[in-house]
Amino acid sequence: MTKPVKKKISGWGNYPVESCFVYRPENETDIHDIIEGTQDFSHIAYGLGRSYADTALNKDQGVIRLEQLNHFLHFDEDQRLLTCEAGVTLSDIIDVFLPRGYFLPVTPGTKLVTVGGAIANDVHGKNHHVDGCFSEFVTSFDLLTGSGEVMTCSREENSEVFWATVGGIGLTGIILRATISLIPVESAFINVTYEKAGHLDEAFDKFIENDQNYKYSVAWIDCLSSGSSLGRSVLMRGDHAKQSDLPMNVQDPYALPNKFPLKMPVHAPGMALNYWSISAFNQLYYSSFKDESKLEDLTSFFHPLDAIDDWNKLYGRNGFVQYQAVFPKDQQPKEGIRKLLERLSSDKRSSFLAVLKSSGQANHGMLSFPMEGYTLALDIPNKKGLFPFLKELDEIVLAHGGRVYLAKDASLDEETFKQMYPRWEEFLNVKQQVDPKGVFRSSMSRRLGLTD
């Protein structure tokens, strides 16, 4: 059995930092050995660490890193079905399959995510209003349960376990491999339309008017603007470009531009990102756009922050949290988002990354996040008074029938979580069936009252 190393690790927000026993299995047999050889230990799977807080942490217990289970197993070109190990990254899939004319059906804001992590957090992207979550394109997966059984799960086979695992933050077991479908594309480019909105009402009007006309839709929002400019935004909507849309000088329609990533070598000083510096950045960023349409390469459109290695260090050694909430369409989502923005602006809580998106109907995932409405995501530095402030935001979200995304949450308490996710008991019933001894736990599961 591979031996663990006790070390301090964190999620992408660099908060919290916890000491865990970290295992690095090289294959599936190693994982079985870890589970069977540590019956007095609990474990949680860990991919590339892009969930933000304690989703994949397990204080003083086991963390099983899966980055070495990263092999492609089969591709059915007729059905566009890819079978791969859970440690394969979305970046790996793009690198191999984009030159062959295929792309991911759903991608979050980073391609540095494993397939297993994408399922366990049921990630979504700029096309949720049209295509739903990543799980919509998952045909099946093999799950290693707490009893050591490998269970094949799909909508037809072990369907309850399938929907408990989708968005189930790793608590039903370890996803070993999965079969997902890819989509055909004609190029590595997106036709993007940029449109500015001077305030929140205008941004919502533009979403409602035109979202159905685009496959991808998102808005950068200035979360520090106030008064008549509260919620001013830049909407970015697009569709995959056809080869006939490309300039004549493009020789390979599937070639992404060669870009050398920048690197954030050290943590920035804690004072670097503050209300004033981010206000200035937001003003400059908003002013840099005009209403226009142009071609963007896939990386620039979907994964712009991947161009900066370790960009999370911009927030300093204390780290940050990402707060993402969804407000249902039938409960005045604009007013809920307005209250969040007003609270953020009045408290001078800075966020240079704030994203507004529309979302489509909820799926059957018991702990899956999106529902039909609108989502707002905010990066907030970890500074004095943050967690009482986040509790205030939770109360606004609850009052409007919404919920917070578990993949990014750092602060929900048990009572609030159970109000936001009313299917938690159904989830626990399934978890008890596949993991009766409670092998799979995490710091988050204890915080939310899902395990002891």
Side-chain angles (χ1 to χ4, degrees), residues 89-154:
T89 68
L90 303 190
S91 180
D92 295 333
I93 295 172
I94 294 171
D95 290 346
V96 172
F97 287 95
L98 181 59
R100 299 171 63 174
Y102 301 101
F103 191 64
L104 298 162
V106 169
T107 177
T110 175
K111 60 185 175 181
L112 302 176
V113 173
T114 63
V115 168
I119 296 171
N121 293 287
D122 202 13
V123 299
H124 57 279
K126 297 176 174 64
N127 57 331
H128 190 274
H129 65 295
V130 174
D131 296 317
C133 292
F134 190 83
S135 59
E136 294 300 317
F137 301 89
V138 176
T139 302
S140 66
F141 53 78
D142 289 343
L143 182 75
L144 175 63
T145 68
S147 65
E149 175 190 3
V150 176
M151 180 181 291
T152 298
C153 302
S154 69

Side-chain angles (χ1 to χ4, degrees), residues 306-414:
D306 286 349
I308 307 174
D309 287 346
D310 297 330
W311 66 262
N312 54 343
K313 292 180 179 177
L314 285 166
Y315 284 95
R317 291 193 177 279
N318 290 334
F320 68 103
V321 301
Q322 183 166 109
Y323 189 91
Q324 183 170 7
V326 60
F327 294 83
K329 183 178 181 180
D330 60 355
Q331 295 199 38
Q332 297 183 308
K334 181 171 65 175
E335 296 313 307
I337 289 172
R338 187 190 306 278
K339 289 178 181 178
L340 280 191
L341 292 173
E342 288 173 345
R343 190 68 192 89
L344 199 75
S345 180
S346 67
D347 205 63
K348 291 184 168 53
R349 295 282 174 179
S350 49
S351 174
F352 81 91
L353 181 63
V355 176
L356 179 65
K357 290 183 291 193
S358 58
S359 55
Q361 292 184 353
N363 62 25
H364 298 297
M366 297 170 195
L367 298 184
S368 191
F369 164 70
M371 62 176 79
E372 188 172 15
Y374 295 86
T375 74
L376 179 67
L378 307 162
D379 282 355
I380 310 176
N382 178 21
K383 295 183 178 179
K384 184 178 179 180
L386 173 62
F387 292 94
F389 175 77
L390 294 178
K391 181 62 176 175
E392 292 182 40
L393 300 191
D394 292 342
E395 291 170 358
I396 294 171
V397 174
L398 271 177
H400 289 81
R403 59 185 171 223
V404 170
Y405 191 17
L406 298 182
K408 300 177 179 180
D409 169 60
S411 64
L412 281 181
D413 57 43
E414 179 178 349

Side-chain angles (χ1 to χ4, degrees), residues 50-308:
R50 288 299 176 119
S51 53
Y52 278 74
D54 56 358
T55 314
L57 301 184
N58 196 15
K59 187 176 181 180
D60 295 326
Q61 297 287 302
V63 167
I64 301 176
R65 301 201 60 157
L66 299 177
E67 66 262 46
Q68 295 188 76
L69 277 77
N70 60 352
H71 300 94
F72 294 112
L73 302 175
H74 180 69
F75 183 59
D76 182 334
E77 193 145 11
D78 291 335
Q79 300 294 319
R80 303 194 303 273
L81 292 176
L82 170 65
T83 301
C84 61
E85 292 181 320
V88 166
T89 68
L90 303 190
S91 180
D92 295 333
I93 295 172
I94 294 171
D95 290 346
V96 172
F97 287 95
L98 181 59
R100 299 171 63 174
Y102 301 101
F103 191 64
L104 298 162
V106 169
T107 177
T110 175
K111 60 185 175 181
L112 302 176
V113 173
T114 63
V115 168
I119 296 171
N121 293 287
D122 202 13
V123 299
H124 57 279
K126 297 176 174 64
N127 57 331
H128 190 274
H129 65 295
V130 174
D131 296 317
C133 292
F134 190 83
S135 59
E136 294 300 317
F137 301 89
V138 176
T139 302
S140 66
F141 53 78
D142 289 343
L143 182 75
L144 175 63
T145 68
S147 65
E149 175 190 3
V150 176
M151 180 181 291
T152 298
C153 302
S154 69
R155 289 165 179 79
E156 298 76 33
E157 184 178 6
N158 297 310
S159 61
E160 276 198 330
V161 182
F162 180 91
W163 289 116
T165 302
V166 164
I169 52 176
L171 299 178
T172 58
I174 294 180
I175 299 167
L176 298 174
R177 56 195 151 264
T179 298
I180 64 173
S181 59
L182 304 182
I183 60 170
V185 294
E186 289 192 28
S187 76
F189 295 88
I190 299 285
N191 280 316
V192 186
T193 297
Y194 294 91
E195 195 173 11
K196 295 171 75 170
H199 48 75
L200 188 63
D201 288 336
E202 185 179 1
F204 264 78
D205 288 344
K206 291 178 182 295
F207 269 115
I208 293 168
E209 180 181 358
N210 281 319
D211 254 14
Q212 71 276 9
N213 298 322
Y214 296 93
K215 183 177 180 69
Y216 302 106
S217 176
V218 67
W220 169 85
I221 188 167
D222 181 357
C223 63
L224 296 183
S225 58
S226 58
S228 61
S229 297
L230 181 78
R232 65 179 177 180
S233 311
V234 179
L235 284 78
M236 310 169 190
R237 276 85 67 86
D239 294 287
H240 288 281
K242 298 179 179 179
Q243 292 188 9
S244 58
D245 299 327
L246 305 184
M248 295 293 291
N249 62 349
V250 174
Q251 296 180 344
D252 182 354
Y254 296 111
L256 289 167
N258 289 322
K259 298 179 180 179
F260 296 99
L262 303 173
K263 187 172 180 63
M264 188 69 191
V266 297
H267 291 277
M271 66 186 74
L273 288 183
N274 55 52
Y275 175 82
W276 306 109
S277 65
I278 293 178
S279 292
F281 170 84
N282 285 0
Q283 175 62 46
L284 180 64
Y285 190 77
Y286 181 78
S287 300
S288 69
F289 284 94
K290 60 183 179 180
D291 291 359
E292 63 176 340
S293 296
K294 62 180 182 179
L295 280 175
E296 289 271 8
D297 65 87
L298 293 173
T299 299
S300 298
F301 183 71
F302 289 110
H303 313 122
L305 285 175
D306 286 349
I308 307 174

Side-chain angles (χ1 to χ4, degrees), residues 434-449:
V434 297
D435 187 21
K437 295 181 179 179
V439 172
F440 296 104
R441 311 181 197 186
S442 67
S443 295
M444 170 175 273
S445 72
R446 290 186 284 273
R447 172 164 60 86
L448 301 182

